[in-house]
Amino acid sequence: MNTESEKEQFLKEFGSDYGYANAPKNIDEIRATEFKRLNDTVYLDHAGATLYSESQMEAVFKDLNSTVYGNPHSQSSCSLASEDIVGKARQQVLSFFNASPREYSCIFTSGATAALKLVGETFPWSSNSSFMYSMENHNSVLGIREYALSKGAAAFAVDIEEGTHVGESESPKSNLKLTQHHIQRRNEGGVLKEGMTGNAYNLFAFPSECNFSGRKFDPNLIKIIKEESERVLESSQYCRGCWLVLIDAAKGCATNPPNLSKFKADFVVFSFYKLFGYPTGLGALIVRNDAAKLMKKTYFSGGTVAAAIADVDFFKRREGVEEFFEDGTISFLSIAAIQHGFKIINMLTTSSIFRHTTSIAAYVRNKLLALKHENGEFVCTLYGLLSSEMGPTVSFNMKRPDGTWYGYREVEKLATLAGIQLRTGCFCNPGACAKYLGLSHLDLLSNIEAGHVCWDDRDILHGKPTGAVRVSFGYMSTFEDAMKFVNFVENNFVISSSNRCALQPRSISLPVEGIAKAAARHFLTSITVYPIKSCAGFSVDQWPLTSTGLLHDREWILKSTTGEILTQKKVPEMCYISTLIDLNLGKLFVESPRCKEKLQIELKSSSLVTERDEMDIQNHRYEVRSYNNEVDIWFSRAIDRPCTLLRNSGSQSHSCINKNGSPGICRDVGARLNFVNEAQFLLISEESIADLNSRLKSNLDGRRRNGGQAVQVGVMRFRPNLVASGGEPYAEDGWSNLNIGGKYFMSLGGCNRCQMININPEAGEVQRFTEPLATLAGYRRAKGKIMFGILLRYENNTKTESDTWICVGEEIVPNGDRH
């Protein structure tokens, strides 16, 4: 795709909307002066968080370095300076939403979620109330349901269908339709009765823009719900009472904030980092003053009371709306920073930002919709296209020529390697996710039973996607960003005659029974044991085999205080924790550059201090025990975060098959396993490593991404248990089984590699690169996985543990008959 001609065509169609031609700085100048850090990055997750500009941060630092701001709950000059800047910030916020201070107040919170929580916990719920919300709502809005249901109120979702163009006309649409879903109640005794709803207060919540699809919602919904609820809800008993309306503007406010002078919402919530990147941890609730009078607040704190008596049940609240709801000292330094964020928004104007960003999004949608495989099948399925107006968000999934889905994790992995930052999953919007992906309640429950939770790697279950790919654009996004993304999709996911070989590599073959023996001889050249999962291992010349693999291999794990199993993916410093087991002494020795003393752990179970406990990891259930505080303190110091060392007690570890019969992602469900991801052993070939290094050496793109240096990797970068030599590169792909010195192993197929192999611990400090995974993705990718090395299971046909050792130098005989 020629950049110049492509941009010329784009500007013919969108030139009047793109680039801020009438602003003090156009888009190219903005990128060149304000976002130099994006030179090697295509950032496409502005729906998640947009970016701060350089001049914005310079102004913030200058302000903080030149002004003394004190606690605003005082009368000193420094405190008055804070009070003054907070007051100006409130007015800026109200002006941004075109809200009169006579009618609305700005309450600062820690973010949009905190603002939603404040509405939920103070709303005047009763057993006659209803909480109605659009299906396309963020989880933080759905959480309000808990407050409503706990007070005996009814809750229900609605699908909103609009038949005409979204606009800011004063008159509501007559053909807008709401389809009501199942009524949720926890207290059946609170079912509505005739004549009991006149004084009930109801709440309707909808987003100004769906963060999943980019669909924009008609602001006329506010007036329709307030004045015509009986018509649109077809005289349902739940339509009666007084309706208040909440808009979640977290996604939509950056490009099209609700105009509160025309559309009188009662509550609007948003976060500042969605607007201009900084500060994080700060948001606001814009509340209509009449609605604020209805809110019931129980707790009081410093700053919210005018007087209180410690030993008597007496306090007097402050009368101001903001003071009433802002508990404690507000984040006044962060509030002082928002004036500098508004400067660039006001300079460009939200209308220009909206036109600029939506023109880029329209270009991407058009390009994705046009992509076809060589067999004529369309590549992309886009979501939200039937909506009357869309924001600067594109959400989609992709199919292979045979109709099967590409997993969104595969897309995210390859995008990261290409320097493209995007978002995948359900984006905390389960209603929109289910609606657009066509997932029934049965599908959702089946996925949960299969172990699927938010942020995991289960992107395809039962042949259907569990989420989507999302790209979203901000005021500093460029046409070049969009074109790079489209090129990435075309080069990596569209099967054509020009790239068929690259995307369907023939070098990867799964184990097939009966393959003829190769003439070359293979030998075992290295054995490595990793006692603690994701920590460094130690090499040996010979080592005992057990029914779980190498004796004591990955028998220990580190667990965070939140229950997360720690690995180098999130704690790369774990690679500096060295281990060694002395079988004669019966001890595990552990060292860390952060700890002065070498840790010694007795292998005998008597050193464990707790009773056995059960835990599920990778669809296997383990019995585990922990150690004393001294051991945990040592490891917490070694990785600079609180953690606990756990040991597999060994006797009861077994596969955890789901209710639907699915074993989850673990490959080796039939074997006893320690804390491995997929199988007992990983085998790597020296010849395959040599071939990879040859490719890395000639990879010019890889050199550019890694500071001009050719990346070379050692075999230990891949953390193998066994290293083989002899034969051709990737010969191991065709091994269905192998005999190593009379010990038999079954191949479970290739090992799917992740970004952990890009962590380089050899430079004295942990460094993250795109290599070697980026190069491997170019020729070792198959069905959503990047394969390198093979997984093995030890075939021990004896019922008891035997004194069997595996030794360096033993010959490896692949695809042989077992005697």
Side-chain angles (χ1 to χ4, degrees):
M1 189 182 299
N2 182 277
T3 303
E4 291 185 6
S5 61
E6 187 71 16
K7 187 169 186 177
E8 184 179 342
Q9 183 63 37
F10 167 80
L11 291 176
K12 283 183 181 179
E13 185 174 0
F14 299 105
S16 60
D17 295 325
Y18 176 81
Y20 315 114
N22 298 321
K25 288 184 178 181
N26 64 35
I27 183 60
D28 294 329
E29 293 169 326
I30 290 171
R31 280 295 287 263
T33 59
E34 301 284 3
F35 296 94
K36 293 188 285 290
R37 65 188 185 277
L38 288 179
N39 286 346
D40 295 321
T41 300
V42 177
Y43 185 83
L44 301 178
D45 188 25
H46 295 273
T50 198
L51 304 175
Y52 52 80
S53 68
E54 292 181 22
S55 62
Q56 175 188 349
M57 298 309 296
E58 289 168 0
V60 170
F61 294 143
K62 182 178 179 181
D63 185 13
L64 295 180
N65 285 331
S66 61
T67 308
V68 179
Y69 291 112
N71 190 317
H73 294 163
S74 183
Q75 295 300 310
S76 69
S77 59
C78 297
S79 299
L80 292 175
S82 296
E83 185 179 352
D84 179 59
I85 200 70
V86 169
K88 290 179 180 178
R90 293 192 204 278
Q91 183 54 49
Q92 277 188 301
V93 171
L94 293 178
S95 297
F96 183 70
F97 290 95
N98 207 11
S100 167
R102 293 182 179 181
E103 194 172 8
Y104 287 91
S105 296
C106 170
I107 300 167
F108 287 115
T109 66
S110 64
T113 295
L116 291 165
K117 182 174 182 286
L118 180 60
V119 173
E121 66 188 5
T122 60
F123 193 83
W125 304 109
S126 72
S127 59
N128 294 317
S129 297
S130 294
F131 174 47
M132 178 171 68
Y133 52 93
S134 64
M135 275 292 286
E136 296 167 71
N137 258 311
H138 195 278
N139 272 328
S140 296
V141 175
L142 300 189
I144 295 176
R145 184 175 61 191
E146 295 300 299
Y147 291 107
L149 294 176
S150 68
K151 296 293 185 179
F156 56 93
V158 291
D159 284 316
I160 301 171
E161 298 177 22
E162 300 168 349
T164 58
H165 181 73
V166 175
E168 294 199 354
S169 64
E170 295 285 357
S171 58
K173 309 295 190 302
S174 60
N175 60 348
L176 182 143
K177 181 180 179 182
L178 272 65
T179 303
Q180 186 175 305
H181 286 246
H182 172 73
I183 302 298
Q184 306 157 60
R185 272 194 180 277
R186 289 187 182 160
N187 180 5
E188 292 300 330
V191 174
L192 291 173
K193 299 179 181 179
E194 289 292 330
M196 296 292 289
T197 60
N199 295 322
Y201 291 100
N202 308 312
L203 181 64
F204 170 58
F206 72 98
S208 60
E209 182 183 321
C210 174
N211 76 313
F212 184 99
S213 66
R215 173 192 179 184
K216 291 177 62 61
F217 283 81
D218 190 341
N220 281 300
L221 276 166
I222 300 166
K223 191 172 184 178
I224 292 172
I225 295 300
K226 284 177 173 287
E227 298 179 2
E228 302 182 52
S229 59
E230 288 199 29
R231 178 183 65 82
V232 294
L233 290 173
E234 299 178 346
S235 299
S236 164
Q237 62 176 328
Y238 297 98
C239 69
R240 301 162 191 165
C242 177
W243 282 95
L244 281 73
V245 178
L246 180 154
I247 299 179
D248 176 9
K251 171 61 182 74
C253 66
T255 55
N256 198 7
N259 184 346
L260 296 180
S261 69
K262 290 185 177 181
F263 305 101
K264 306 291 186 177
D266 297 284
F267 311 99
V268 177
V269 304
F270 73 101
S271 294
F272 288 98
Y273 74 95
K274 302 274 190 177
L275 270 175
F276 34 68
Y278 181 89
T280 57
L282 183 69
L285 166 64
I286 313 302
V287 58
R288 200 163 59 87
N289 294 331
D290 289 344
K293 295 174 184 177
L294 302 174
M295 300 169 76
K296 299 178 179 180
K297 190 166 184 286
T298 302
Y299 178 76
F300 71 87
S301 66
T304 65
V305 290
I309 299 177
D311 58 346
V312 177
D313 183 12
F314 173 84
F315 71 94
K316 182 180 180 181
R317 294 189 185 275
R318 293 187 180 273
E319 295 183 0
V321 173
E322 300 92 344
E323 297 170 324
F324 186 85
F325 289 102
E326 290 172 350
D327 288 319
T329 301
I330 55 178
S331 184
F332 57 92
L333 293 181
S334 293
I335 293 171
I338 69 175
Q339 60 178 316
H340 307 294
F342 274 120
K343 284 180 182 178
I344 194 164
I345 300 297
N346 293 334
M347 177 188 77
L348 299 175
T349 73
T350 53
S351 60
S352 294
I353 292 172
F354 177 74
R355 293 196 305 272
H356 172 81
T357 54
T358 52
S359 69
I360 300 173
Y363 166 80
V364 170
R365 285 192 198 96
N366 293 340
K367 287 294 182 181
L368 294 183
L369 285 171
L371 293 177
K372 291 183 180 181
H373 294 295
E374 63 178 353
N375 65 354
E377 294 295 321
F378 284 101
V379 177
C380 298
T381 299
L382 273 65
Y383 304 117
L385 291 181
L386 297 179
S387 302
S388 50
E389 190 169 337
M390 301 292 290
T393 297
V394 182
S395 178
F396 65 99
N397 275 306
M398 294 183 286
K399 286 185 176 181
R400 299 183 179 90
D402 62 3
T404 60
W405 295 97
Y406 288 107
Y408 57 77
R409 285 291 185 227
E410 177 184 4
V411 181
E412 185 175 40
K413 180 191 292 186
L414 294 174
T416 300
L417 295 174
I420 298 173
Q421 307 301 313
L422 45 73
R423 187 82 173 268
T424 63
C426 268
F427 325 121
C428 298
N429 196 326
C433 188
K435 172 182 176 178
Y436 288 115
L437 300 183
L439 299 175
S440 66
H441 288 167
L442 184 61
D443 291 329
L444 296 173
L445 292 173
S446 179
N447 290 347
I448 293 170
E449 288 182 357
H452 175 53
V453 295
C454 296
W455 305 342
D456 68 12
D457 291 330
R458 294 174 173 89
D459 51 9
I460 304 291
L461 284 174
H462 316 299
K464 294 182 179 181
T466 60
V469 180
R470 185 187 74 188
V471 294
S472 50
F473 304 93
Y475 75 80
M476 75 295 297
S477 296
T478 64
F479 165 80
E480 287 73 18
D481 292 334
M483 197 183 75
K484 287 177 183 177
F485 171 71
V486 172
N487 287 343
F488 159 76
V489 171
E490 192 165 3
N491 293 334
N492 287 276
F493 300 98
V494 180
I495 306 298
S496 64
S497 57
S498 61
N499 66 2
R500 188 189 307 111
C501 294
L503 298 186
Q504 295 180 320
R506 299 176 182 177
S507 57
I508 300 177
S509 56
L510 298 178
V512 179
E513 294 292 339
I515 296 178
K517 296 181 181 180
R521 299 182 67 185
H522 309 271
F523 295 90
L524 185 64
T525 59
S526 175
I527 302 169
T528 305
V529 183
Y530 305 91
I532 305 174
K533 183 179 179 68
S534 231
C535 293
F538 62 96
S539 295
V540 293
D541 291 331
Q542 55 182 355
W543 198 255
L545 289 172
T546 71
S547 59
T548 59
L550 293 171
L551 179 64
H552 300 308
D553 185 56
R554 286 161 290 187
E555 196 168 305
W556 290 264
I557 54 169
L558 292 176
K559 185 180 76 169
S560 73
T561 53
T562 61
E564 180 184 17
I565 303 306
L566 300 178
T567 69
Q568 287 186 34
K569 289 181 183 179
K570 290 192 174 180
V571 191
E573 293 80 9
M574 290 177 69
C575 67
Y576 294 128
I577 298 177
S578 62
T579 59
L580 177 67
I581 289 178
D582 190 317
L583 295 177
N584 294 324
L585 295 177
K587 290 184 178 182
L588 165 64
F589 297 94
V590 191
E591 292 185 86
S592 166
R594 290 179 174 172
C595 301
K596 294 181 180 179
E597 300 84 12
K598 179 188 292 187
L599 186 64
Q600 300 184 31
I601 297 175
E602 296 284 345
L603 296 180
K604 293 181 179 179
S605 59
S606 58
S607 62
L608 295 159
V609 298
T610 62
E611 295 298 320
R612 286 184 172 88
D613 191 15
E614 285 193 345
M615 65 185 302
D616 292 339
I617 308 173
Q618 303 283 15
N619 290 90
H620 270 69
R621 182 163 296 156
Y622 298 89
E623 286 190 355
V624 297
R625 296 178 67 183
S626 59
Y627 291 84
N628 56 40
N629 287 337
E630 182 180 341
V631 172
D632 292 341
I633 290 171
W634 191 96
F635 279 101
S636 298
R637 186 181 300 116
I639 65 172
D640 198 26
R641 66 185 67 194
C643 64
T644 300
L645 181 70
L646 299 177
R647 184 179 184 181
N648 181 15
S649 60
S651 59
Q652 297 296 323
S653 65
H654 61 277
S655 176
C656 218
I657 303 295
N658 298 308
K659 292 180 181 179
N660 61 5
S662 168
I665 67 171
C666 181
R667 200 89 61 88
D668 198 2
V669 296
R672 292 182 61 229
L673 302 173
N674 280 332
F675 299 118
V676 298
N677 288 343
E678 295 187 281
Q680 294 175 341
F681 297 88
L682 169 64
L683 181 143
I684 297 289
S685 155
E686 289 182 352
E687 284 70 26
S688 300
I689 288 285
D691 178 78
L692 171 60
N693 278 322
S694 176
R695 294 170 186 267
L696 287 168
K697 189 175 182 180
S698 60
N699 188 336
L700 296 179
D701 287 337
R703 290 192 185 191
R704 179 182 56 80
R705 289 190 294 261
N706 294 280
Q709 299 295 319
V711 177
Q712 296 288 277
V713 295
V715 68
M716 300 314 297
R717 179 78 74 91
F718 297 88
R719 296 176 62 82
N721 296 109
L722 308 176
V723 179
S725 68
E728 296 295 319
Y730 315 108
E732 64 273 15
D733 291 340
W735 297 351
S736 60
N737 59 76
L738 53 155
N739 177 331
I740 305 178
K743 282 79 63 178
Y744 290 87
F745 298 81
M746 177 69 67
S747 173
L748 303 174
C751 178
N752 183 24
R753 309 314 309 212
C754 67
Q755 292 191 12
M756 199 165 130
I757 65 174
N758 290 342
I759 298 173
N760 178 22
E762 299 172 1
E765 61 178 340
V766 174
Q767 296 177 319
R768 293 182 183 269
F769 297 108
T770 59
E771 296 293 0
L773 193 60
T775 292
L776 285 172
Y779 75 106
R780 296 287 298 171
R781 178 174 153 227
K783 284 291 184 181
K785 298 180 179 181
I786 302 171
M787 301 295 199
F788 194 77
I790 60 171
L791 302 170
L792 303 175
R793 178 177 66 215
Y794 175 44
E795 296 286 282
N796 181 13
N797 61 356
T798 61
K799 295 184 179 180
T800 60
E801 298 285 344
S802 59
D803 187 22
T804 304
W805 292 60
I806 188 170
C807 304
V808 169
E810 291 181 326
E811 185 171 4
I812 301 173
V813 181
N815 302 324
D817 295 329
R818 182 169 179 176
H819 300 293

